[in-house]
């Protein structure tokens, strides 16, 4: 499984990128608004993210347009920002149609707001390169977000979508709306290709109390060696 960072915060992206294990970034309108993002700076901001993570890390930037033609226009503009931009499009009829059009132009799409297996299969058939089932938001309505993610991973794994995607590339499932390190564990056990995680959760994925305790005792014992 790969780790993507789910944020629009440049400092968080810089720090996570410096850890050496970051494979991509996802943003959405809420995350951009949370950092005080302005409309006329949006493209420049996505470019800054692309520059930080480098050309091998996909950066998802979301279209908020509601019609096929507007989404396609938005998608082309977003894709022109940098070669690693992935256009994020909501799972809806106009979004599927726009995904097909963009995929046919070789532009990768991350189909977002995906909650069910039929939605995921339609996204795949429309040419999406990434599909983002939401875990936490499903839990929020007293459903089982992890079970739903598992269903999507298995259903997509049942078929060959290489004729549907850009250049026959393999579809990757992004476990999204991740709220805990355990969500990451379960997503990995299910075989989700990617988990996109907020910075706070990424830090929790690194930490463990036994690691801290073990480190403390190793340092204390090493002190003793030095003073022996
Ligand atoms: O439910 P949350 O925590 O707001 O997460 C929403 C999810 O939507 C996304 O836009 C999907 O990629 C991610 O940015 C995020 O993981």
């Amino acid at each position: 499984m790969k780790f993507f960072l789910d944020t629009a915060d440049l400092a968080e992206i810089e720090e996570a990128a410096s850890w050496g294990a970051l494979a991509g970034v996802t943003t959405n309108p809420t995350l951009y608004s949370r950092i005080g993002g302005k409309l006329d700076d949006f493209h420049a901001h996505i470019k800054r993210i692309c520059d930080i993570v480098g050309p091998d890390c996909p950066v998802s930037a979301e279209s908020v347009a509601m019609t096929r033609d507007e989404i396609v226009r938005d998608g082309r503009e977003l894709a022109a920002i940098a070669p690693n931009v992935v256009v994020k499009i909501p799972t809806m009829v106009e979004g599927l149609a726009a995904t097909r059009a963009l995929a046919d132009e070789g532009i990768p799409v991350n189909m977002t707001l995906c909650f069910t297996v039929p939605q995921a299969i339609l996204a795949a058939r429309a040419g999406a390169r990434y599909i983002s089932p939401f875990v936490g938001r499903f839990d929020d309505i007293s459903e089982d977000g992890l079970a739903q993610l598992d269903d999507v991973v298995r259903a997509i794994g049942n078929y060959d979508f290489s004729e549907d995607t850009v250049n026959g590339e393999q579809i990757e499932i992004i476990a999204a709306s991740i709220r805990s390190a355990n969500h990451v564990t379960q997503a990995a056990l299910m075989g989700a290709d990617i988990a996109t995680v907020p910075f706070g959760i990424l830090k929790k994925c690194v930490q463990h109390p036994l690691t801290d305790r073990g480190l403390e005792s190793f340092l204390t014992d090493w002190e003793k060696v030095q003073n022996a």
Side-chain angles (χ1 to χ4, degrees):
M1 187 175 70
K2 291 183 266 193
F3 276 96
F4 283 10
L5 193 64
D6 195 26
T7 187
D9 185 311
L10 298 181
E12 290 181 353
I13 295 166
E14 262 166 15
E15 182 168 350
S18 78
W19 296 357
L22 190 66
V25 174
T26 52
T27 65
N28 65 29
T30 305
L31 295 170
Y32 185 58
S33 129
R34 206 174 279 164
I35 58 147
K38 305 252 185 318
L39 182 60
D40 60 6
D41 193 44
F42 180 56
H43 285 199
H45 193 79
I46 295 296
K47 177 78 171 76
R48 285 177 211 118
I49 296 175
C50 291
D51 289 344
I52 293 170
V53 296
D56 296 331
C57 280
V59 173
S60 288
E62 191 154 341
S63 167
V64 289
M66 293 302 289
T67 67
R68 176 199 177 277
D69 291 350
E70 285 168 355
I71 300 169
V72 169
R73 199 186 53 222
D74 243 14
R76 287 180 187 141
E77 287 174 10
L78 290 168
I81 296 171
N84 50 329
V85 167
V86 174
V87 181
K88 208 154 150 216
I89 299 177
T91 310
M92 57 180 184
V93 169
E94 298 288 317
L96 288 171
T99 297
R100 179 74 276 153
L102 290 169
D104 286 347
E105 292 178 20
I107 295 175
V109 169
N110 172 0
M111 191 124 255
T112 188
L113 286 169
C114 175
F115 290 91
T116 69
V117 168
Q119 285 182 319
I121 292 177
L122 285 166
R125 288 298 177 208
R129 170 73 175 78
Y130 301 92
I131 301 173
S132 293
F134 280 35
V135 177
R137 290 195 194 181
F138 226 128
D139 290 350
D140 290 346
I141 59 156
S142 304
E143 295 285 343
D144 187 342
L146 286 169
Q148 196 60 32
L149 172 66
D150 189 35
D151 287 350
V152 169
V153 169
R154 285 188 294 120
I156 293 296
N158 281 344
Y159 303 99
D160 177 10
F161 294 100
S162 56
E163 285 184 9
D164 301 292
T165 54
V166 176
N167 303 324
E169 280 176 310
Q170 190 79 22
I171 291 172
E172 290 181 277
I173 304 290
I174 305 180
S177 188
I178 292 288
R179 304 273 169 77
S180 67
N182 183 52
H183 276 169
V184 176
T185 303
Q186 301 309 322
L189 291 173
M190 284 166 202
D193 303 289
I194 296 157
T196 189
V197 297
F199 188 58
I201 306 285
L202 188 65
K203 281 201 284 194
K204 284 190 177 149
C205 287
V206 180
Q207 293 159 350
H208 193 277
L210 290 178
T211 306
D212 294 343
R213 206 187 301 167
L215 187 58
E216 209 180 301
S217 70
F218 287 155
L219 291 175
T220 307
D221 291 339
W222 195 245
E223 256 320 290
K224 290 180 200 155
V225 171
Q226 284 180 333
N227 297 327

